[in-house]
Amino acid sequence: MDNRSEVRDFLTTRRERLTPEQAGVPFFGGRRRVKGLRREEVAMLAGMSTDYYTRLERGNLTGVSHSVLDALARALRLDEAERTHLLDLAETANTPTAGRTPRRVPNRTTVRQGVQRILDTINAPAYARNGRMDILAVNRLGRALYADALGTGDSFNLARYLFLDARAQDFYPAWPTVAADCVAALRTYAGRNPYDRALTDLIGELSTRSEPFRTWWATHNVKLHHTATKTMHHAIAGDLELTGEALQLPGDPDLTIITYTCEPASPTEQALAFLASWSPRTGEDGTDRPARTGRGTAPR
């Protein structure tokens, strides 16, 4: 991804969304010809010249100090995720390219056995994913929860499922929120890993095949995912209200474990218990054994 265009589009969209009232800029009435703040207003708030800010917004962050970036973040009212994204873009801009081979992100398709053991000890739906939203490993309840997305395979890409599988909109009743957050997470990851070829291919595929993805990608919104509550509609267990927690793995910095919990003694807890009894169990020989036969729906 081109760093200069990424910087330009990010700063432009942040400036255009901020009104003079929000930024505390005096407004004397009349019709404004620009959307959001003017460049000179951002420059004034950040304590820099208009010419210097114009240079930054045109995508040139070479040689910019952290103090300037901090001032810019304050002027544009950037949140934690946006400020982190700006620093990531600046780091890329200030990394010498002469004689340097861009860092390639491993395109792994499996996880270490130790990671799978961690997942298997969690008594809740859990999976391990990378920054491209590739779900690389799941535990038993996670497999049962995402049975439609997994099919007969061992992994899937959550972004492709959200935007290219019609069943995703039934599975996530609040699909627009979940899908937009996924795009924001991919944009955040792209800022840290501009040379990830697999990510570039994924973005190209989704932009070509999904108008909602293409629209959200153009907003340049970013988000740090630590915890979030989601409602899911499972074909067997019914409606589930789950809170996801993101756990980082120091030994595998490109992986994140997501585990879902629910309120004790809630309908969701009962539904998960039913889902656990319905899902297959792994025997000592490594094969899946049905938990029980018969049909039914989760108790209510």
Side-chain angles (χ1 to χ4, degrees):
M1 298 184 183
D2 180 61
N3 179 259
R4 292 180 71 98
S5 63
E6 289 292 310
V7 173
R8 181 188 66 242
D9 293 342
F10 178 67
L11 291 180
T12 300
T13 54
R14 299 314 94 174
R15 173 173 60 83
E16 290 179 345
R17 72 170 184 183
L18 198 59
T19 67
E21 293 79 9
Q22 291 171 327
V25 174
F27 180 56
F28 302 104
R31 184 176 181 180
R32 294 175 64 89
R33 296 182 179 179
V34 298
K35 183 180 179 181
L37 294 180
R38 299 186 180 98
R39 286 177 174 174
E40 56 266 27
E41 291 170 335
V42 176
M44 177 189 69
L45 291 170
M48 62 183 68
S49 70
T50 301
D51 287 343
Y52 187 65
Y53 173 72
T54 299
R55 169 206 157 188
L56 300 182
E57 194 177 283
R58 285 176 177 169
N60 187 359
L61 293 183
T62 305
V64 178
S65 66
H66 275 269
S67 61
V68 169
L69 294 172
D70 286 340
L72 187 56
R74 289 193 299 270
L76 292 173
R77 302 293 181 92
L78 302 187
D79 62 21
E80 180 189 2
E82 292 167 331
R83 183 181 181 279
T84 300
H85 187 61
L86 178 62
L87 294 175
D88 288 336
L89 294 175
E91 181 178 358
T92 298
N94 287 283
T95 300
T97 57
R100 177 179 64 87
T101 300
R103 183 177 69 89
R104 300 291 179 179
V105 179
N107 191 15
R108 67 165 82 195
T109 57
T110 59
V111 300
R112 292 185 294 107
Q113 195 174 46
V115 174
Q116 184 64 60
R117 290 195 187 106
I118 292 173
L119 292 173
D120 292 337
T121 61
I122 299 175
N123 189 29
Y127 61 80
R129 66 159 176 82
N130 60 21
R132 294 183 294 267
M133 297 294 165
D134 294 322
I135 310 302
L136 301 178
V138 295
N139 63 1
R140 186 168 64 89
L141 266 177
R143 176 174 292 279
L145 181 63
Y146 286 102
D148 283 345
L150 283 164
T152 58
D154 295 324
S155 62
F156 72 102
N157 181 272
L158 183 58
R160 285 194 181 95
Y161 174 65
L162 281 166
F163 290 98
L164 304 182
D165 192 326
R167 296 174 298 179
Q169 297 196 34
D170 293 326
F171 184 71
Y172 292 106
W175 180 86
T177 298
V178 176
D181 284 349
C182 178
V183 177
L186 287 175
R187 175 67 77 178
T188 303
Y189 176 76
R192 295 194 305 268
N193 300 277
Y195 305 111
D196 187 337
R197 179 58 184 272
L199 175 66
T200 302
D201 292 343
L202 174 65
I203 299 307
E205 176 189 358
L206 295 177
S207 296
T208 301
R209 301 178 60 186
S210 171
E211 183 176 354
F213 179 88
R214 185 165 57 251
T215 300
W216 278 318
W217 186 254
T219 65
H220 284 260
N221 290 335
V222 292
K223 184 173 183 178
L224 298 176
H225 282 64
H226 302 303
T227 180
T229 298
K230 293 183 175 68
T231 299
M232 304 176 187
H233 180 75
H234 192 275
I236 300 297
D239 291 333
L240 306 168
E241 186 171 311
L242 299 169
T243 299
E245 301 288 347
L247 311 175
Q248 301 301 133
L249 296 172
D252 295 271
D254 59 320
L255 289 182
T256 301
I257 285 181
I258 304 294
T259 180
Y260 288 108
T261 61
C262 63
E263 290 292 331
S266 64
T268 295
E269 186 179 59
Q270 295 178 358
L272 284 180
F274 176 83
L275 191 60
S277 68
W278 169 80
S279 63
R281 298 177 182 276
T282 302
E284 293 179 358
D285 57 357
T287 60
D288 284 342
R289 298 175 181 173
R292 66 180 186 182
T293 59
R295 298 180 178 180
T297 56
R300 288 287 180 265

